[in-house]
Amino acid sequence: MSSYHSPLTTDRLPPAAGPYSGRFAPSPTGPLHFGSLVTALGGFLQARRAGGTWSLRIDDIDPARDSKAAADIIPRQLEALGLGWDGPIVYQSARTARHREVAEQLLAQGLAFRCACTRRQLSAAPAGADGPIYPGTCRRRARAGKTRHAIRVRVEPGVVGIGDPVQGEIACDVAAVLGDFVIRRADGPVAYQLAAALDDVDEGYTEVVRGADLLYSTLRQVYLHRLLGLISPAYLHLPIAVNAKGEKLSKQTHAPPLDSARPGPQLVAALDFLAQQPPAELGTYAPADILAWAVVHWQPGRLRGISRRPAAAV
Ligand code: GLU
C-alpha cells in the first residue's frame, strides 16, 4: 500500500456531522471468535464513549457461506458479553433490491462492465496489493446480458485516501494498486464491496470500525462513494488478531468460538489486546461493570500504527 503523509495527496473527508452512529456488521458464517470480539468491542467503545448509537447489522447476503444458526447465535453471544446494541437488528439481505439497482445503474452508465472471465483466466493476472489486478480483458468487450457474467467497476486512475485515527493517513491509486473490482458476482449475489458501501451511507453511520484486514476494501468502498456522489463515513481500522502461525483468526483458520460462560475474562483479554491496560482484577467483575470501566478509559490512540497483534488464548 502507498501511504503518504502529504495532505495534498490524501482525500480529506469532512468531519462527521451530528451525533455519532456506529455499527458492528458480522457475516453470519459461524459463531463469533476472539477476533470478532475485538472488532465488536472496539466499535462499541467508540460509540458509547461518544454518547452515540451502536447498531448490529447481520451481513447475510452470501447464501453459499451464511447460516441461519450463526445469524441466531451471534446476537446471543453479544448479549452474554453485555454488548447491547441499539434498535432492531438490521439484516443486510433486506436491501438486496437497492444493491442490485445500483449495480445495474453503474452498468447502464458505463461506469461498470460485464465480465465473463473465469477464475482460471484470472489466475495469470498480475498480483496487486489485495489479490490479482484485473487485466482488463472484458473492459472493452460488449457482453450480452444473457451470458453468465459478473459486474465489475471500471476503476479510473486517481488517489483515494482516508485519515484513520489508528492507522494514520492511508492513500492509494485504486486503479494501479487494486484494479477493477467485482460489485456483483457471476453466481448472483451483489458483492460485499457494493453492499457495504451503500448500506453504511444509507443507514447513516458516521464512523465504521472494522479490522485492518479490510483497509483495501475500505478504499474500494470510498471509491464507490465518490462514483455515486455519496459522502463516506469516517473509518477506524483496528489491529487484526492473529494465531500462533500468524494467520488471521477466522472460521477457515479454526478460531474457537467465544465461550459465553466466561464473558469477563474474554472482555478483559480483548481490552488488553486493544492496549487499554485493564487492571488484572477486572476479569472477576460482571460484563456491565467491565464495560463501564472500558468506556471511561477508552483510548484508541494507544493502538496507533498497529495493524496486527497475536490473539490472547482465552
Ligand atoms: N461483514 C463483513 C465481515 O464480517 C464486513 C464487515 C465490515 O464491513 O466492517 O467481515
Side-chain angles (χ1 to χ4, degrees):
M1 168 170 312
S2 330
S3 176
Y4 306 108
H5 290 275
S6 160
L8 293 174
T9 53
T10 300
D11 197 21
R12 286 185 181 276
L13 300 170
Y20 185 102
S21 169
R23 79 341 178 242
F24 175 52
S27 300
T29 53
L32 301 179
H33 49 73
F34 183 77
S36 4
L37 168 57
V38 164
T39 307
L41 180 59
F44 175 91
L45 293 175
Q46 272 291 94
R48 295 295 180 242
R49 177 77 198 205
T53 56
W54 188 63
S55 303
L56 172 60
R57 185 179 80 209
I58 302 284
D59 283 355
D60 57 345
I61 53 166
D62 188 348
R65 295 180 62 219
D66 299 340
S67 86
K68 167 89 173 76
D72 290 342
I73 198 174
I74 289 171
R76 293 207 303 272
Q77 289 180 295
L78 291 173
E79 277 165 355
L81 290 155
L83 296 171
W85 58 91
D86 298 297
I89 300 176
V90 180
Y91 291 91
Q92 196 169 41
S93 54
R95 291 181 30 89
T96 303
R98 159 91 170 137
H99 303 154
R100 286 186 175 278
E101 187 187 301
V102 174
E104 291 300 326
Q105 173 202 321
L106 291 172
L107 192 58
Q109 291 172 319
L111 298 170
F113 59 93
R114 294 192 178 96
C115 174
C117 293
T118 59
R119 214 177 273 263
R120 192 147 158 249
Q121 281 168 310
L122 292 177
S123 62
D130 188 30
I133 296 184
Y134 184 67
T137 323
C138 293
R139 251 189 171 227
R140 286 162 297 274
R141 286 189 200 160
R143 296 259 173 217
K146 32 185 203 317
T147 46
R148 185 182 152 96
H149 63 267
I151 300 178
R152 246 177 225 280
V153 171
R154 194 183 291 281
V155 180
E156 302 298 349
V159 173
V160 167
I162 56 162
D164 183 307
V166 170
Q167 306 301 332
E169 307 249 330
I170 307 288
C172 82
D173 181 340
V174 179
V177 174
L178 305 170
D180 298 337
F181 58 91
V182 171
I183 53 169
R184 208 210 64 203
R185 294 179 355 201
D187 61 342
V190 164
Y192 158 67
Q193 306 297 355
L194 180 60
L198 288 174
D199 292 359
D200 288 340
V201 172
D202 291 353
E203 288 158 12
Y205 305 122
T206 56
E207 183 176 68
V208 166
V209 175
R210 54 169 57 137
D213 55 315
L214 293 175
L215 258 171
Y216 287 110
S217 289
T218 296
L219 295 172
R220 291 182 179 101
Q221 290 164 29
V222 171
Y223 184 89
L224 285 174
H225 293 149
R226 281 209 197 163
L227 209 56
L228 294 163
L230 302 172
I231 296 183
S232 305
Y235 291 94
L236 185 155
H237 293 84
L238 296 168
I240 53 163
V242 298
N243 64 22
K245 290 190 209 152
E247 302 160 329
K248 181 192 165 221
L249 299 193
S250 69
K251 193 178 165 191
Q252 289 72 33
T253 60
H254 312 292
L258 293 171
D259 176 0
S260 291
R262 302 178 59 247
Q266 292 175 121
L267 282 171
V268 171
L271 286 170
D272 188 51
F273 178 94
L274 290 167
Q276 300 304 300
Q277 302 167 10
E281 72 276 10
L282 204 62
T284 60
Y285 289 26
D289 295 326
I290 298 173
L291 291 170
W293 179 92
V295 171
V296 173
H297 293 88
W298 176 234
Q299 285 186 55
R302 288 187 168 153
L303 293 166
R304 187 86 189 171
I306 304 175
S307 58
R308 51 204 289 132
R309 299 196 83 184
V314 273

